[in-house]
Amino acid sequence: MSTPIDATDTEAWANLGDRAEEFDPDLRAWFADDGHRVEKLTFTAADLLVDLSKELVDDDLLRDLLALAEEVKLTERRDAMFAGQHINVTEDRAVLHTALRRPAGDRLEVDGADVEAAVHEVLDKIYAFADKIRSGAWTGVTGQRIRTVVNIGIGGSDLGPVMAYEALKPYKLAELECRFISNIDPTDTAETVADLDPATTLFIVASKTFGTLETLTNARLCRSWLLDGLRAAGAIGSDQEAADGAVARHFVAVSTALDKVAAFGIDPENAFGFWDWVGGRYSVDSAIGTSLCVAIGPERFAEFLAGFHAIDEHFRNTELARNVPALMGLINVWYVNFLGAETHAVLPYSQYLHRLPAYLQQLTMESNGKGVRWDGSEVTTDTGEVYWGEPGTNGQHAFYQLIHQGTRLIPADFIAFANPAHPLRDGDVDVHELFMANFFAQTRALAFGRSEDEVRAEGTPENIVPARVFTGNRPTASIMAPELTPAVLGQLIALYEHITFTQGTVWGIDSFDQWGVELGKKLAQEVIPAVAGDAGVLATQDASSRSLINYYRANRR
Ligand code: F6P
């Protein structure tokens, strides 16, 4: 196992430290002094236009960041990832989500297996299945076509599918709807199936491990709901064979553990596999995306994959100085490790992307929320920042006050599209233009602010002048594309995957494991009997848990 290079030992890190001490950003002056700033700091990657000119960076600083990337061997680790080396050292696995979107025939052999052939074999199976559902050739046990597909999964087996389905709703088949169950709060299942007809509902049980408490519990709840509903309607008998027949028409699965799928009672013929070299939070473009493929169709799903691939090729082949994910990752390191930023906002000016911030929370925080490096040694600097966000313009009326005038440095990514899915007009007014005006205005206000003199010049009473001053120099990236298409969505996701990779490499951490989720799960399993009334197990709990469980049991009707 290679020892990660300690970024804090590098010359570049020392230079960045010195720079941070003197750092006095002045975007107004930087724009005034350098007429080429925008040109120099605006990049294209596939269909994405990325403007970094309102980031708190200048040429010298970027040079230091690029030197840091060299010193921590970013490109070597990138190439190791693409080649299938086991860079996920704590799980001894390759990290090959990029292989999910390589074109057919673009061979890649890993651990003696032809990865590409395997990927496309599964894709063909998913495409055939999607066509059958979409055409109505696949019917439920009563012979009716499927109208609702319910994805049952959590974490990476939910956040990607629901985010992408919501984002690409304009591309979905009108007569089909997807719903998503993730939480073990029984409300989630109850509310999701409440108005559904079992005869026209198909469930996708999505779980990489096929061992997740929430997903297996919800899958069993849904199976009972299905069988009870079909029996009540007289569609099936009460015998096991009838039940198995119904499950075979209304349940499919997605997992790396196809043996466990069979044990659950789902025919492996109706299961779509993927591999341990795909992290859950990197799996929306694997079979985990089956619900999306059913909704938008194989052709659009292929465009989605091609979008990812276009950014993979950009990340793999572009010199770092023009490499968008590498630059954005390095700039985030500057904010986190030198300017003390603890969070990062993602603000999509697209209602269809309303689940993107939640998706990016798992991608970035489950990847880089680590306290040890990939060799087990302690990290030598701060690591993963907290990602958060809401769609624009809603956020403007919620938390932008703090972003504009608060005391914290909050780097923010603004995302928008030139063409709306719904070009509505309010009389003569193009509403999308109003929307975009806000998008442009917000990054301008954050960058350039409003000085005391400017506030005074507006006739502001002296006593509130200070309250109306905007310091500016609040960093933003603006990411634009002509339209939110399947390809562009793939590009956006791949962009953030590689930004996350870049930061993880600088910090020397394994961005692809998630041991930190285990203790809570283990303790939950242990405490279940106590919650159910087992006094012996209750006695083994800490005093606070005992008191809370006693309160729960005393109040549970
Ligand atoms: O608990 C965290 C996690 O393991 C995530 O990494 C993963 O995406 C999620 O749970 C769901 O796991 P699975 O797909 O195996 O059910």
Side-chain angles (χ1 to χ4, degrees):
M1 178 203 312
S2 67
T3 303
I5 292 155
D6 183 344
T8 65
D9 280 348
T10 63
E11 187 189 338
W13 196 270
N15 294 341
L16 288 161
D18 297 344
R19 202 171 286 289
E21 262 161 38
E22 323 270 307
F23 196 59
D24 180 21
D26 186 347
L27 282 166
R28 281 192 186 205
W30 291 351
F31 271 74
D33 299 347
D34 181 353
H36 299 291
R37 181 177 173 85
V38 174
E39 199 184 306
K40 281 194 295 189
L41 291 172
T42 297
F43 306 85
T44 56
D47 298 315
L48 304 178
L49 176 107
V50 180
D51 175 357
L52 303 178
S53 66
K54 299 195 196 87
E55 297 279 19
L56 302 184
V57 295
D58 61 18
D59 298 348
D60 297 338
L61 174 65
L62 278 176
R63 234 189 324 277
D64 287 342
L65 288 171
L66 292 168
L68 175 65
E70 296 294 336
E71 291 193 75
V72 299
K73 300 191 182 320
L74 174 63
T75 54
E76 287 84 342
R77 190 164 166 79
R78 174 199 63 192
D79 299 344
M81 174 178 69
F82 277 95
Q85 288 177 28
H86 285 214
I87 64 165
N88 176 0
V89 286
T90 69
E91 295 183 307
D92 189 19
R93 291 175 179 167
V95 173
L96 272 178
H97 42 276
T98 54
L100 296 167
R101 53 256 195 168
R102 287 166 78 114
D106 187 356
R107 273 182 68 79
L108 175 66
E109 191 151 312
V110 171
D111 303 336
D114 178 350
V115 165
E116 232 25 70
V119 165
H120 284 273
E121 193 185 323
V122 172
L123 270 179
D124 293 343
K125 188 176 174 186
I126 296 168
Y127 291 168
F129 170 72
D131 281 338
K132 276 190 264 177
I133 298 283
R134 293 165 60 83
S135 66
W138 179 298
T139 57
V141 77
T142 63
Q144 292 167 269
R145 67 173 297 158
I146 299 299
R147 297 281 179 204
T148 311
V149 170
V150 179
N151 187 80
I152 305 172
I154 198 163
S157 301
D158 166 72
L159 288 162
V162 66
M163 180 278 289
Y165 174 75
E166 291 291 318
L168 299 177
K169 264 192 175 151
Y171 298 87
K172 84 171 187 68
L173 191 67
E175 51 271 26
L176 197 85
E177 183 200 11
C178 288
R179 296 192 183 181
F180 301 84
I181 297 175
S182 54
N183 200 335
I184 198 167
D185 175 343
T187 301
D188 201 2
T189 293
E191 287 288 341
T192 302
V193 299
D195 61 343
L196 292 180
D197 174 357
T200 59
T201 301
L202 178 126
F203 296 95
I204 301 179
V205 185
S207 176
K208 178 179 176 180
T209 57
F210 225 75
T212 302
L213 173 71
E214 292 90 338
T215 302
L216 297 186
T217 304
N218 286 330
R220 283 189 291 269
L221 289 177
C222 290
R223 183 169 57 187
S224 307
W225 171 84
L226 175 84
L227 297 177
D228 294 350
L230 291 171
R231 286 183 184 127
I236 61 168
S238 55
D239 55 298
Q240 188 54 44
E241 199 187 331
D244 295 346
V247 168
R249 303 303 306 162
H250 294 272
F251 271 81
V252 300
V254 173
S255 184
T256 62
L258 297 182
D259 53 332
K260 293 185 182 165
V261 168
F264 181 86
I266 295 175
D267 179 348
E269 260 318 291
N270 292 342
F272 308 95
F274 66 110
W275 305 270
D276 68 5
W277 38 261
V278 179
R281 53 190 176 274
Y282 295 86
S283 67
V284 64
D285 48 328
S286 75
I288 288 291
T290 296
S291 55
L292 178 68
C293 184
V294 171
I296 66 174
E299 222 179 298
R300 295 290 189 191
F301 194 80
E303 291 165 11
F304 178 59
L305 298 179
F308 279 89
H309 186 63
I311 295 293
D312 292 346
E313 292 301 283
H314 170 88
F315 184 50
R316 197 154 62 143
N317 302 319
T318 308
E319 49 148 345
L320 293 186
R322 307 284 315 160
N323 192 310
V324 178
L327 288 170
M328 291 180 76
L330 292 166
I331 293 171
N332 290 348
V333 165
W334 167 240
Y335 293 142
V336 169
N337 297 115
F338 295 93
L339 301 187
E342 296 188 345
T343 80
H344 194 107
V346 175
L347 308 167
Y349 277 62
S350 163
Q351 194 55 31
Y352 281 128
L353 285 179
H354 69 109
R355 292 298 287 158
L356 181 67
Y359 172 80
L360 293 177
Q361 285 186 326
Q362 186 198 14
L363 173 67
T364 61
M365 294 158 71
E366 201 176 72
S367 292
N368 289 341
K370 311 282 165 67
V372 298
R373 301 192 301 160
W374 69 64
D375 65 348
S377 62
E378 230 180 287
V379 290
T380 54
T381 187
D382 279 337
T383 57
E385 67 271 51
V386 174
Y387 265 66
W388 58 287
E390 273 290 311
T393 56
N394 297 39
Q396 292 176 202
H397 306 274
F399 47 76
Y400 278 38
Q401 166 61 43
L402 184 146
I403 300 183
H404 280 282
Q405 291 189 320
T407 57
R408 301 184 183 284
L409 177 72
I410 301 176
D413 299 347
F414 283 70
I415 302 169
F417 308 98
N419 295 291
H422 306 282
L424 303 183
R425 299 186 70 81
D426 173 15
D428 295 340
V429 177
D430 175 328
V431 178
H432 189 61
E433 283 177 3
L434 301 183
F435 187 34
M436 291 307 292
N438 281 276
F439 169 79
F440 300 125
Q442 287 295 334
T443 58
R444 179 172 169 205
L446 287 165
F448 307 118
R450 188 168 60 182
S451 68
E452 266 195 23
D453 294 343
E454 287 161 348
V455 171
R456 251 186 225 104
E458 290 173 357
T460 307
E462 201 48 38
N463 64 324
I464 59 169
V465 164
R468 300 192 67 210
V469 167
F470 290 72
T471 60
N473 296 314
R474 292 171 190 247
T476 63
S478 296
I479 304 170
M480 296 190 71
E483 199 165 354
L484 178 53
T485 61
V488 164
L489 182 64
Q491 294 169 26
L492 275 173
I493 300 171
L495 174 68
Y496 281 97
E497 288 178 345
H498 298 318
I499 291 172
T500 302
F501 175 88
T502 299
Q503 291 177 243
T505 299
V506 171
W507 294 325
I509 58 180
D510 184 338
S511 297
F512 304 100
D513 61 17
Q514 56 285 319
W515 300 104
V517 301
E518 298 306 327
L519 180 58
K521 290 182 189 178
K522 178 173 172 290
L523 294 181
Q525 289 294 346
E526 289 171 9
V527 81
I528 288 171
V531 178
D534 183 321
V537 175
L538 181 64
T540 66
Q541 306 301 309
D542 64 278
S544 161
S545 302
R546 280 202 307 275
S547 141
L548 292 167
I549 293 169
N550 282 331
Y551 173 86
Y552 162 76
R553 292 197 53 76
N555 288 279
R556 172 71 195 270
R557 287 194 302 279

